[in-house]
Amino acid sequence: KQEVTQIPAALSVPEGENLVLNCSFTDSAIYNLQWFRQDPGKGLTSLLLIQSSQREQTSGRLNASLDKSSGRSTLYIAASQPGDSATYLCAVLGGGADGLTFGKGTHLIIQP
Amino acid sequence: SAVISQKPSRDICQRGTSLTIQCQVDSQVTMMFWYRQQPGQSLTLIATANQGSEATYESGFVIDKFPISRPNLTFSTLTVSNMSPEDSSIYLCSVEGTATFGYTFGSGTRLTVV
């Protein structure tokens, strides 16, 4: 059974810092990996999608990498802003499961 | 990417009653998914719904408790039946991903059972 782990569980940093969120998964037979953002009490907003054949994807200040063989992905946020405060979820498709398998998320607070 | 309209956005319900959550998609999709997010937890897949067939439920979820309808390729409902306070969660629907945009989610239904 696929398991997804996110580290750290929570992170609080001053505005302007660059930061890295980590995601690991147990079964490397994935089709893709997707990073989401969730604001309190809200649904999910897709940030980046990385196909299993890709190594990284970039969107604005966000960069996500994927090392499928080692079962790891990182989400890099450059020049963090208070508006980046949210919970960031990593999810994988594949590894024997229907639908996405999610990690528990990293709760990020950017201090003004 | 597909746009999903989910409602209600929130509700407070009495124990023992049922609530039906609706998701409308702006395009035809084969597979729709229903997730539950318990307080402080991540998302757990409840079931996969394909049009014209019975939903497939994940371990720990049963049809009597979470009946699902999928009458066409743009619409699905999830009912939470005979509710108890333990059913208090956010429920989200999702549609199958594309190679470009991945999976899309509805805005969620925050359910509180009292």
Side-chain angles (χ1 to χ4, degrees):
Chain A
K1 178 184 175 184
Q2 179 74 272
E3 294 183 1
V4 179
T5 303
Q6 291 188 245
I7 296 173
L11 183 63
S12 181
V13 300
E15 180 178 5
E17 284 201 5
N18 303 322
L19 52 98
V20 175
L21 309 182
N22 297 291
C23 171
S24 61
F25 46 95
T26 55
D27 189 333
S28 62
I30 64 169
Y31 298 115
N32 58 48
L33 182 145
Q34 196 165 355
W35 282 93
F36 294 90
R37 166 187 174 138
Q38 185 177 31
D39 293 287
K42 303 296 185 181
L44 275 64
T45 300
S46 180
L47 298 174
L48 288 164
L49 169 70
I50 310 177
Q51 300 294 341
S52 61
S53 59
Q54 298 175 322
R55 297 285 293 182
E56 67 177 343
Q57 284 286 345
T58 298
S59 176
R61 295 181 294 108
L62 304 180
N63 176 276
S65 68
L66 173 64
D67 185 342
K68 182 181 168 184
S69 61
S70 67
R72 297 177 185 275
S73 176
T74 61
L75 179 66
Y76 176 82
I77 302 177
S80 58
Q81 304 171 357
D84 295 330
S85 298
T87 296
Y88 289 79
L89 294 165
C90 168
V92 298
L93 177 68
D98 290 328
L100 295 172
T101 302
F102 282 83
K104 292 186 176 181
T106 294
H107 180 56
L108 176 64
I109 296 175
I110 307 299
Q111 306 155 10
Chain B
S1 61
V3 176
I4 304 173
S5 174
Q6 182 174 344
K7 58 182 179 182
S9 59
R10 59 176 60 224
D11 207 341
I12 301 173
C13 301
Q14 296 290 323
R15 67 175 66 203
T17 63
S18 298
L19 175 71
T20 296
I21 303 167
Q22 301 179 1
C23 275
Q24 178 75 51
V25 190
D26 69 345
S27 58
Q28 293 185 341
V29 293
T30 302
M31 298 176 72
M32 294 184 70
F33 304 87
W34 288 95
Y35 289 84
R36 179 177 72 182
Q37 186 177 31
Q38 295 176 299
Q41 301 298 313
S42 192
L43 281 75
T44 301
L45 181 65
I46 297 172
T48 302
N50 292 331
Q51 192 267 336
S53 62
E54 285 197 5
T56 301
Y57 289 82
E58 297 299 303
S59 176
F61 298 96
V62 294
I63 187 171
D64 289 347
K65 177 66 175 178
F66 298 101
I68 290 172
S69 76
R70 184 81 202 276
N72 57 53
L73 291 173
T74 63
F75 187 79
S76 180
T77 68
L78 169 76
T79 298
V80 186
S81 303
N82 188 24
M83 290 184 286
S84 67
E86 292 70 34
D87 294 319
S88 298
S89 298
I90 298 175
Y91 293 85
L92 301 104
C93 64
S94 174
V95 300
E96 59 185 319
T98 65
T100 303
F101 298 107
Y103 282 68
T104 304
F105 283 77
S107 56
T109 297
R110 178 182 286 273
L111 170 62
T112 302
V113 183
V114 298

